[in-house]
Structures are given as structure tokens and as C-alpha cells.
Amino acid sequence: MNDASKVIEVNGLSLTFPTSDGDVQALQDIDLTINRGDFVSFIGPSGCGKTTLLRVIADLEQATAGSIEVNGMTPEEARLARAYGYVFQAASLYPWRTIASNVALPLEIMGLKGEEIRSRVERNLALVDLAGFGKKYPWQLSGGMQQRASIARALAVEPDLLLMDEPFGALDEIVRDHLNEQLLKLWAKTNKTVVFVTHSIPEAVFLSNRIVVMSPRPGRIHEVIESDLPPERDLSIRETQSFLHLANRVRDGLRAGHSYDEVS
Amino acid sequence: MVSRHVSAMMPVAVVSLAIIVLWYVGAAMLNLAWEKSVAQRNDTPVSTIQMLRNTMHQERPVLPSPHQVVQEIIDTTIKKKITSKRSLIYHAGITLSSSMLGFAMGTLLGIVLAVIIVYNDALNKSLLPWIIASQTIPILAIAPMIIVVLNAVGIQGLLPKAFISMYLSFFPVAVGMVKGLNSPSSSYLDLMRTYNASSWQTFIKLRLPTSLPFLFTSMKVAVAISVVGAIVAELPTGAVAGLGARLLAGSYYGQTVQIWSALVVASILAALLVVVVGLLGDWVNRRMGLVRG
Amino acid sequence: MERILFTGASVFSVLGVLLQGPWQTGIAMLAVALIAFLQLKRSRLLAAIATGGMALVAANSLIGLVDEAGAVNAGFWCLVVAAWLLAWGSVEQLSAIRTLSKIYRTVLGVVIPVLFGLWLLILWELLTRGLDVPQVLLPAPSQISERFMSSGSILWADFKQTFLRAVLIGYAIGCGAGFVVAVLIDRSPFLQRGLLPIGNLVSALPIVGVAPIMVMWFGFDWPSKAAVVIIMTFFPMLVNTVSGLSAAQPMQHDLMKTYAASYWQSLFKLRIPEALPFIFNALKINSTLAMIGAIVAEFFGTPTVGMGFRISTEVGRMNVDMVWAEIAVAALAGSLFYGLIALLERIFTFWHPSVRS
């Protein structure tokens, strides 16, 4: 494995938040490498710092110790170079813009020109199966469609790296399954690197080729599990023995991380 | 706790200080022209420093300096008998009493209208639009007429002025109260329905308590505007008494210091009333357990 | 409810005829009220149209009789009450209609308050003329509209002086300055925390009181009135814009950050759109304040033209119908001004939940 294939490299990273009750250690001694084309999930109970770690990668938080590189740059340089697309927990589309102009928003900020914007919007809306909905307003679409639009918005930047913070957390099970399947197809088609935060075991196992199990107080990595599932998957894989075996490993990891909580 | 209060007060204190400094600078600049013309008329050279010093103590300055206004307020409050026609406390008292009467009547009217509107769909649809429209009309324009007309039929004194204040203050109360009475969520209302509560019980036990925060928020607006109403209502009575009359008399005789001191006292009065209603609202909300802390 | 109203209308119609009111009107109203009472279940809309129409016809004939000698007796007033109850019943019917059609609902939302306002005018007309209320106290609507028609040029001159000059110019400058200052202090949390409480306080103060000072500084003509309007409209706009600019959610700020958006990009693409509902709120409040400020400022001195000037001088001459005509102009201008801003609000903030529903 050479350096060019490393997208994210984290070494000894820690982050403490000052609060009124003293400092809270949100992340402690994180070491992690994510390679090009990986689909990596961060999973763990609330308070384990999985979202914080993602936000550090995106330069939305700053580490207090250790080092982190994104595409060989600091997170800030990577952000300024628009090296990644970020999908939030809520779609957070602007209600005063149509779906198409919401997807165009980052492109306008990057200073792209009209024709280029139009073709990218069209291409990425088609990618998430929203072709023909460009003229609608966000509040005229369902929650699942809104979240797909926000994924299209993140993809429109055409980054190699996609950061997703529990993007399907607020959706119901059926819609979530459907979007999981679509996301996997998208990943296979575009060959992007995806970092995905979730608290759902089936979601993490189904989507990822590596699963980072985290534990709380202080937030750290408990275990990194390599998936042995085939890259081509559909929802029926969830009935297979190897899937259940992998899910059990993740569950055991979470439980082991949790026991720390009960002892103290 | 204390340090947080201090850090919240700091910016306000600095900005207030800056306003006072600007006021002094403004007074010096605006009053300088007069000093220059006096010096020219007397044909005696006056040093700029002396002229600037004089701008702070003119008898009829374009813009009186803050300490002149403070001095005038002290002269006309502490150093005058309250019964004296030249006491600002006397005038403020008159404005206060008519605005309080109007505020009380307006609040009552607003609450009654809100209850009627909430319980009668036809009035909700027919009356509410007019109540809202009535506020887009510059109602203060009617003030002099109401005063003069009521005067013509023999109604004098406090009541006509209070009517103006009432007219201005009922609106925010009515609108806030309608919002408040309609604020219980449908699950709360359904709960009352499962108890088979009468509409009177629902009103007393659910709608009224949940409307209280809305009521006090709108009463703060209402009390401020009722002071404005009382002051404007005092303009057409021939400048007899009240802070509005002081403003008008001051403008007739070019007594800028008097105008400014009346204005400052009116502002203090309005601010105090808003604070009192606000504190009362906080207290009631705490008692009702609607706000913690 | 409407059963009580229609029963009342029938009873008062009978009473009106017995007490020597105009019997044709009484009989007609009785017939309509009874039919409406009996056929209530069939169609609310039909009942509402029949009773409302009848009430208007009856009111019209009663107004026609009001100046005839001896016509205004107890029977007359009973019929007035009957017509009013009939109209009330009609409005009750209209508001009880439950319909899903949006156009239909919009139409009802306009028709019901218009009917209510019309009835206020009818009762006003009947009471002032029927009871011979002195004109000085309260002129009838017909007298006011007559005066309105006959003094169009004076009213127009006053409107031009007060509204087109003082109000509009002062409003534009005051709101514009409030907005610009809010954007300027946006980057200084210190200034915001200092100015916001003061702005809130000043918004509650009787600022119209600066009118005599402004008249002294800027003279009798419209600039002094515009100055009052500027001061009155500045603070609500400042306070609302400052809170509007901080209305965006942290997540949306994060989104702009991931795009590496500049300060001005996130100001124009995120925060100003997000602040629009607040800004329009201030624009609406200010439209009323501006009218009040300009008119009241004229009480402290004007050239011999202007709405406030006209009101105060005509009151002195006891020309109350002229005062009312002037107030009608002010009301019309005020509500059109407000309505225009409300319309713009709907166009610009069509996406906001309060407008969507």
C-alpha cells in the first residue's frame, strides 16, 4: 500500500471540549487510516465521538492533539480545496431554493459558470433518481427524497471523498433500506471514498468494507473490523450466515466497549 | 453568575457611554453657530475654547447638553412641590394616570374580545380581520378629534385621553390572547375531551393558563403604546397638563431644554412601566410553573 | 345559534309590523327568516345568500325612509334589529360552511369580513340619521363620503404632502438605515450585544415626542416629518434584522463552511434569505409607525397643507365630516401600504412555513 492510496490518515488524535463541569475528553488517541475507495463506517453509542471524528476530518472541529491529514493536506486546506462532500443528519436544504438550485448552491459558491452548473446539477440529480424533480421546492418532497437531494448536493462538488453523518437516521426503516441499497450502487458506480457515521448495526455491516467500532467516555476506537462480504450486495445478503456473523462481531465489540461504562 | 451579568452589561454600558459622548459632541457642533453669531454681533473676539464651553450652557440651545437636561429634570422634580404646575412629577402623574386607566380598559377589552373570538367562529372570521385592519390605520390621527368631540358633549378630564390609550392597547392584547388561547396542542385538548370537560372547564383549566405568557408579552407592548397614546392625546387639549402638553408648550416657546426633559421623563416612565409589566409576567409565569429558574 | 338568530329576526319583524314600521319590509323579512329557519338543513350557502340578501334589501329600504317625517318609530327600530339579526345569521351560516376547495375558502375569507364591515356602516348610517346624532359628534357615512367626493383636490394635496413625501421618504431612509447598520454591526458581537438591548428599549419609548425637536431643526415643511419617521422606523428594523441574521441553524452554517464559502457568500446566500421573515415583520410594523409619526409630527407645525394639519385645524372649526374624510384617506393609504408589504412578503418568503400553510 503506497501513500497515494491513503485518503485520510489520523495519528494519536485527541480532542477535549471545555465545559462548565471541566474538560470533556471527546476523542482520545485515535489512530486510523482510510484508503481510496473504502467505505468505512463509524459505529458506536451516543457520546462515543463518532460524529466529532467526522467533523474533525471535515475541519468543522479542531483536534487538540495529534495529527490528521486529508488527501495529504491539513483538514483546513482540504476544506478550502473542496476535497470532500458532507451530508448532514437533516437534509438542510434551503426552503427558498428549488431542488435544482439547492444542488447548484455549492457550485455557485465555487464560482462555476452557468452551463457547467446546469450539467452537473442534471447529472447528479439523475444519479440519486431525482431527475425531473429539479423545479420542485424541498418542502414539496418526502423526507427520503429531500435526503437524496442533499446527497446529490454533496456529490455535485464532485469530490473523491464523501462524509456522511447519520444521513438516514431520521427516516423510516423501509425508506432507509431503499436508500442504503441506492447508496451502495452509487458507491460502486463512482468509486468514491465514503466515511459513514451510524448507530445502526445492520446499516454499518450492509454498507461497509471496514467497520470502526467506537466506545464512549472518552471516545476512542475499540476495534476495526474488516468485512468479508462480497462487494456486490443486495438487501437479501442480510439473511446470510456471514452477514449475521459479522453483525454479531460488531455487537460484541459494542458491548465490550460499553462494559467500561458499567464498571465505572 | 456575577461575572456573566457584568459581561452582559459591559457592551450596553460602553454603547450608552458612546451615545452620551456623541450627544455632547453633537450639542457642541449644533450650538456653535449661535455662539459665533453672538460673538460677531458683539464684535468681541471669543476664543474657540470659550465658545465651546458656552455651547454647554445656552438658554435655548439647538441641542441641549445632557447635563442641562438632567439639571432641568432635577429642578422640576425634586426642587418643585408636586402640586406645582411646573413640577414634571405632576405632569408625569397626569400622563401616567390616563395611560394606566386606558391600559387597564384596553387590556380588559382585549381579553374579552379574544375570548369571544376564540369561542365564536363567525366572529373569528368577521371581526378579527377588522381588528387587524384597524391597526394599519394611523389611529393616533383620530386622537385630537376624539378629545375635542368628547369635550363638546361634556366628557372631560382623564376619560377621553384614556380612550385613546385604550384604543391603542387593546389590539396587541387581543391578538396575543387569541394566539395564547389557541396555543394548547390538540393532544392537550383531546385529553380534556377524554375527561368530558365542559368548555368552561377547558377554558379555566387549560386555555387560560397556557395563554398567560402570551398575555404578558402582549401587555408589555400594550403598556408602552398606551403611554404614547396618552402623550399624543394631551396635544390638542390646549396644552394644559401632562407630558404631551409640556412638549407642545416647549415647542411653542422654543424651550428646547423643557422639550428634552419632558421627552426623557416620558421615556423613563415608559421604560419603567415595561419593566414592571415584564417582572409581573415573569413572576406569574414562574408561579404557574411555565418558566423554570 | 342561527336558529336563535332567525327566530329573533322573525319576532322582531312581527313586532316591527305591529308597531307601525314599514309593513312590506317586515313581511318580506319574516317570510325569509321563516323559510331559512325551516330549510336550514338543506343548504347553508342558499340560506346565507337568501338571508344576507334580504337583510341588505331591508336595510336599503330602511335607510330610504330614515329622513321621512314620522317614519322613524319603534316599529322602524324593531325592523332594524330584525335586519341585523338576519345578517348575523347569514354570517353564521357562511362561517359554518366547511369546504376543502381553496378558492372557495379564499372567497369566503374575503366575503365574511366585508359583509361585517358593510353592516357596521349600515348600522352607523341608520343610527346617526335615525337618532339625529349631531354632525359634530359623529357624521353619517353618507355625509363623509359626500365630503370626500367634493374635496378631492384638498385631500390629494394633503396626501401628497404627508404620505408621498414625509411617510414614503422617511420610511425608505429609516428602514434602509436600520438594515445597513444591522449588517455593519453583524461582524461585531460586542456592538450587537450593546445595541440590541438599547434598540429594544428605544422601540418601546414614545419616540413621537421628538417631533417638536425635529420641527425646530428642520423647519415646518415635510423634511422634519420625514426625520421623525426615520427615527421611529430605524430601531424596529435594526432589532429585527439583527435577530434575523442570527436565525440560521448551526447545521446550515456548517454546510456553508464545508463549501469554504466566504463571509459575503454566506451572508447573501444563507443569512439574508433566512432573515427575510424578520425584515418583513419590521417593514409591516414600520408602515403603521411611519403614518403615525408623520401625522402626529404635523400637530407641531406645518405649512398649511398635510393630513395632520388638516385634522387639527378642521377639528378646531368643528368641520368633523372633513376630519373623517381625512381619516378615511389615512385609513385607505395605511391599509393599502400595509397590504402591499404583506403581498411582497408572500412573494419573497413563499417558502416560509407561516406563508405556505
Side-chain angles (χ1 to χ4, degrees), chain C residues 118-142:
Chain C
L118 190 63
W119 266 92
L120 277 185
L121 284 179
I122 289 173
L123 287 178
W124 179 354
E125 181 84 28
L126 280 169
L127 286 174
T128 47
R129 285 172 65 190
L131 294 177
D132 265 336
V133 175
Q135 202 209 341
V136 176
L137 197 57
L138 188 65
S142 56

Side-chain angles (χ1 to χ4, degrees), chain B residues 160-197:
Chain B
K161 290 194 281 175
F163 269 129
I164 311 275
S165 294
M166 178 188 84
Y167 197 101
L168 289 171
S169 59
F170 91 89
F171 170 75
V173 173
V175 170
M177 210 42 196
V178 166
K179 214 185 258 172
L181 289 173
N182 281 328
S183 67
S185 67
S186 55
S187 66
Y188 283 118
L189 287 168
D190 284 345
L191 186 69
M192 292 308 270
R193 210 162 299 141
T194 66
Y195 299 151
N196 195 22

Side-chain angles (χ1 to χ4, degrees), chain B residues 62 121-122 125 130 135 140 149, chain C residues 95 113 137 205 217 288 292 315:
Chain B
V62 179
D121 197 33
K125 285 184 179 146
W130 285 103
Q135 294 302 305
L140 271 175
V149 164
Chain C
S95 21
L137 197 57
L205 299 182
W217 287 5
T288 318
I292 289 177
V315 161

Side-chain angles (χ1 to χ4, degrees), chain C residues 84-299:
Chain C
W84 173 63
L85 287 173
L86 217 51
W88 185 355
S90 155
V91 170
E92 283 278 346
Q93 295 289 339
L94 283 179
S95 21
I97 292 173
R98 297 278 169 267
T99 168
L100 293 174
S101 148
K102 205 176 165 194
I103 301 163
Y104 202 49
R105 247 185 324 195
T106 319
V107 170
L108 276 181
V110 174
V111 165
I112 292 173
V114 165
L115 278 179
F116 186 85
L118 190 63
W119 266 92
L120 277 185
L121 284 179
I122 289 173
L123 287 178
W124 179 354
E125 181 84 28
L126 280 169
L127 286 174
T128 47
R129 285 172 65 190
L131 294 177
D132 265 336
V133 175
Q135 202 209 341
V136 176
L137 197 57
L138 188 65
S142 56
Q143 289 169 318
I144 296 170
S145 76
E146 220 167 88
R147 181 54 96 123
F148 189 94
M149 296 300 171
S150 66
S151 23
S153 63
I154 296 179
L155 292 173
W156 170 248
D158 292 343
F159 175 76
K160 215 163 63 180
Q161 170 78 8
T162 303
F163 189 84
L164 295 185
R165 297 205 180 111
V167 170
L168 284 189
I169 293 173
Y171 179 82
I173 297 177
C175 292
F179 177 79
V180 168
V181 171
V183 171
L184 287 182
I185 65 168
D186 180 57
R187 296 181 104 160
S188 162
F190 184 84
L191 275 181
Q192 276 184 36
R193 269 180 289 149
L195 274 174
L196 208 56
I198 291 176
N200 270 319
L201 178 73
V202 174
S203 302
L205 299 182
I207 307 181
V208 272
V210 301
I213 297 160
M214 293 300 124
V215 171
M216 269 178 205
W217 287 5
F218 298 107
F220 274 5
D221 213 345
W222 64 267
S224 62
K225 283 78 200 173
V228 175
V229 174
I230 291 172
I231 298 175
M232 284 181 80
T233 53
F234 175 79
F235 289 99
M237 186 49 117
L238 175 74
V239 169
N240 271 283
T241 309
V242 167
S243 38
L245 285 176
S246 59
Q249 300 291 317
M251 198 186 277
Q252 293 180 317
H253 283 293
D254 283 347
L255 184 71
M256 292 314 265
K257 201 175 173 196
T258 67
Y259 298 151
S262 71
Y263 169 80
W264 293 106
Q265 280 174 328
S266 67
L267 183 69
F268 281 110
K269 293 204 187 290
L270 166 63
R271 298 173 59 220
I272 287 182
E274 198 75 65
L276 275 182
F278 293 79
I279 291 169
F280 272 103
N281 186 31
L283 285 175
K284 286 197 286 190
I285 296 171
N286 281 346
S287 73
T288 318
L289 284 179
M291 294 284 289
I292 289 177
I295 291 177
V296 171
E298 286 182 4
F299 295 161

